[in-house]
Amino acid sequence: MERTILLVDMDAFFASVEQQSNPALRGKPVAVMGGGKRTVVTTASYEARSFGVRTGMNLHEARQACPELIVVVGNNDKYTHTCTELKKIYLRYTPLVEIYSIDEAFLDVTGSEHLFGGPLEIGQRIKREIRKRFGINATVGIGPNKLIAKLAADLSKPDGLRWIRPHEVSEVLEDLPPGELWGIGPRMAAHLRAMGINTCGELARTPTGILRSRFGITGERLKMMAMGRDETPVISDSETGEVRSIGHSMTLPRDIYSMSEIESYILILSDRVAFRARRYGYAGRTVSVVIRYKSFETFSLQRKLTVPTDDTHLIYRVAKEIVRPIRLREPVRLLGVSISSLIKTTAQQCLFDEQKKRRRLLETVDGINLRYGSYSLLWAAALQAESHKGVISPAWRPEGVHKTL
DNA sequence: TCTGGGGTCCTAGGACCC
DNA sequence: TCTGGGGTCCTAGGACCC
């Protein structure tokens, strides 16, 4: 059946929220960044973008692009709160709302569109309500599936509203470079160009066999995408898919070489991962460690356990065993710990049972003190405080396992 | 004063088993 | 008088997304 999907995408979300809460920032080039020294631009306001300020730039680069740039340290609570309120608006139009990231949501309005005078009218109303309630602009893309809705938004931002109707899809795609599509990144686009494929039209006409032999199963999907086909459903939070991994990583305040320092960070990271797993009722059978050297060379190592765990100390122990044999070739810049091969722990270990949570937290704290002496805990706590000033990740969710504090 | 952090999915090679 | 062969599990790496 033909569907109608909306993508609501906040324009420069974090920066817009900051401009709204502080009128002095309005109309000015603003960059939202983390608080630490080694941080990057998370979101630039459109004023800042006009100077060339881009997501991912470090402070130095951003200031070079725009000397009068106003840097604001991100405040995750504000964005999370706004995101939660935005969802309430969406739910007035359909129960099928997928909060894709903190600033993007898919709405499947198939079936409810006629109640509100059609998809464009819904898009218009949502934009208006967001502007009125929060004073920020949103772009709404509408299409017969998520891929096309996303494209419609990308092609019309900022403050856009565009409906690509089913019969318009092939025309819109004909001359579009494949890299503009959601899911085709720079590397894939370069591969395609090397094959002489420069537009979605050309990609759609490339024989499946050729794409298949070159890219495997991905090749078939590429062709489907170039034809504007996408069957993936809008998944509301209540039926959200299984979580695959839980992880934490951090760029260290300074590069380190000593194994004992590395291990102390591994402990903090293990604890954050385990805490989040326990809180949301997951345990993992695979423990992974990622290391980034000063030179930015990055690699990961993992180990599979016989039983899943959500225990801080077990994860820590395994992570240590993984790291210990490594002969470091350079100082370490970033460390990460994650667990995967997840299972759901039993429902009885109730998700939001505050008492249990607190008890387990205490057990954790006790455990650390018992095993490593309170010195470890104090040190860990101090470092944790320091690292909390890090960058806000747009992938953070307002609720669920992937909400990280 | 270079270069964040949270994820998902896919591939490829080797171990191991029958 | 070389090299089966299919299936699964595990590990490492990479592309892509917000």
Side-chain angles (χ1 to χ4, degrees), chain A residues 43 91 93 117 122 156 191 208 227 256 299-300 314 319 331 372:
Chain A
T43 315
L91 285 171
Y93 297 94
I122 294 179
S156 61
H191 278 303
T208 309
M227 294 191 294
I256 59 175
F299 60 98
S300 67
L314 185 51
Y372 309 104

Side-chain angles (χ1 to χ4, degrees), chain A residues 218-233:
Chain A
T218 311
E220 288 169 34
R221 243 199 336 266
L222 285 173
K223 182 164 170 130
M224 286 297 135
M225 290 167 71
M227 294 191 294
R229 304 229 189 111
D230 168 30
E231 303 294 332
T232 57

